[in-house]
Amino acid sequence: MTLRKMRSKMHNLDDDSGDKLVTRIVTGCGVTIVLVLLYLLCRVTIVMLSKPSSHSDEYPLPAMDSNQGVSAELQALAEELDILHGKADSLLEQEKIYYEKRNALVKTALGQGDKPRFRSDGRCGPNYGAPGSPDFGECDPNSDADQKGPCCRVDSGWCGNERGKSWGHCPLREGEQLEEGDPGPACPDSVCIDYSEVQKHRHLAVSKLVEGAKRFRSDGRCGPNFPAPGAPEFGECDPLADADQKGPCCRVDSGWCGNVRGESWGHCPPDCQNCIDYSKQP
């Protein structure tokens, strides 16, 4: 073998050995790096688990005694709310009862209740009592017909509408004269009663009574903290109004009258649970 061939063969052997050596070195370094990373990851995990949480340090959980104290306060507030709700329900019930009684009295005074002051057979006077006027039956103040009203001829006991006649049912009005040829005398007020005029006086008396005991305020406030002259324990809202700070509804928790409907924050039920609509009261 020549010297040149021997050198060439040795060179090829050196190249093969070098490539294998490089491969082994790279593989070994990669394994080492992976092991180091795994070691570091384990160390970091151990440190993280052993270190107290900064969140728990900043916001420590309350002790059991504190929890019990909070629970007691919440329970006390719940009981207080129940008492307030009970009082509110009681006031609302009282308001309902009041309106029922007041309206019943007004209807009775005007003869518009379940017991009318006049009869269905057209009779009137002391001998013909009516359900709402047992001692003296009246005549229908809104009628204008024979045996109906508005007048009562007491001596005959009949209702009717004949005017300007001495034998008629109605007294002469101011400036009114008997019909020509009627010898008279005119039927006196004690014998002939015009209940259409009587009803006008009743309406006036009831209006003055209601106005004198007005149950709503002029500033638009309502509820138990804002009494009115006719409602010293619970100010109401104007049942005939339809405007903010007027009525017809009262939001009891805020103490304001208004007319907002269909909203939980409004003034009127049913969407507002703590509200009263005075236009709907019986």
Side-chain angles (χ1 to χ4, degrees), residues 67-84:
N67 284 337
Q68 292 175 350
V70 172
S71 298
E73 290 181 8
L74 291 176
Q75 181 64 29
L77 287 175
E79 293 175 356
E80 187 175 349
L81 284 175
D82 288 339
I83 293 174
L84 291 175

Side-chain angles (χ1 to χ4, degrees), residues 118-177:
F118 53 88
R119 300 159 56 104
S120 59
D121 60 2
R123 306 310 301 265
C124 61
N127 297 324
Y128 303 97
S133 183
D135 296 328
F136 198 106
E138 303 178 3
C139 299
D140 187 351
N142 299 316
S143 293
D144 188 17
D146 188 35
Q147 298 186 19
K148 294 292 184 180
C151 302
C152 174
R153 176 108 191 178
V154 179
D155 53 3
S156 69
W158 282 103
C159 296
N161 62 340
E162 291 291 344
R163 297 180 181 276
K165 301 178 176 67
S166 58
W167 53 268
H169 306 91
C170 300
L172 295 177
R173 292 171 175 169
E174 185 177 356
E176 190 176 42
Q177 300 292 329

Side-chain angles (χ1 to χ4, degrees), residues 30-216:
V31 172
T32 303
I33 292 172
V34 170
L35 292 174
V36 171
L37 290 176
L38 287 174
Y39 173 79
L40 292 176
L41 180 60
C42 291
R43 293 293 299 171
V44 170
T45 303
I46 293 171
V47 171
M48 292 292 293
L49 292 175
S50 61
K51 183 179 179 181
S53 174
S54 59
H55 177 76
S56 62
D57 292 340
E58 186 177 357
Y59 305 104
L61 293 174
M64 184 59 69
D65 293 341
S66 300
N67 284 337
Q68 292 175 350
V70 172
S71 298
E73 290 181 8
L74 291 176
Q75 181 64 29
L77 287 175
E79 293 175 356
E80 187 175 349
L81 284 175
D82 288 339
I83 293 174
L84 291 175
H85 280 301
K87 289 182 178 179
D89 291 341
S90 176
L91 288 173
L92 292 176
E93 185 63 26
Q94 291 177 20
E95 288 295 295
K96 182 179 179 181
I97 294 173
Y98 162 77
Y99 266 93
E100 290 175 349
K101 290 183 177 180
R102 187 189 74 169
N103 289 346
L105 288 173
V106 170
K107 288 180 178 180
T108 300
L110 298 178
Q112 299 171 344
D114 297 333
K115 297 180 178 180
R117 292 175 175 270
F118 53 88
R119 300 159 56 104
S120 59
D121 60 2
R123 306 310 301 265
C124 61
N127 297 324
Y128 303 97
S133 183
D135 296 328
F136 198 106
E138 303 178 3
C139 299
D140 187 351
N142 299 316
S143 293
D144 188 17
D146 188 35
Q147 298 186 19
K148 294 292 184 180
C151 302
C152 174
R153 176 108 191 178
V154 179
D155 53 3
S156 69
W158 282 103
C159 296
N161 62 340
E162 291 291 344
R163 297 180 181 276
K165 301 178 176 67
S166 58
W167 53 268
H169 306 91
C170 300
L172 295 177
R173 292 171 175 169
E174 185 177 356
E176 190 176 42
Q177 300 292 329
L178 289 175
E179 291 182 352
E180 187 177 353
D182 190 324
C187 183
D189 292 344
S190 60
V191 177
C192 292
I193 303 172
D194 187 347
Y195 282 101
S196 65
E197 294 296 324
V198 172
Q199 196 76 344
K200 289 179 182 178
H201 289 289
R202 286 173 176 164
H203 273 290
L204 181 61
V206 170
S207 298
K208 287 183 177 180
L209 177 64
V210 172
E211 181 65 24
K214 186 181 291 186
R215 300 181 64 81
F216 55 89

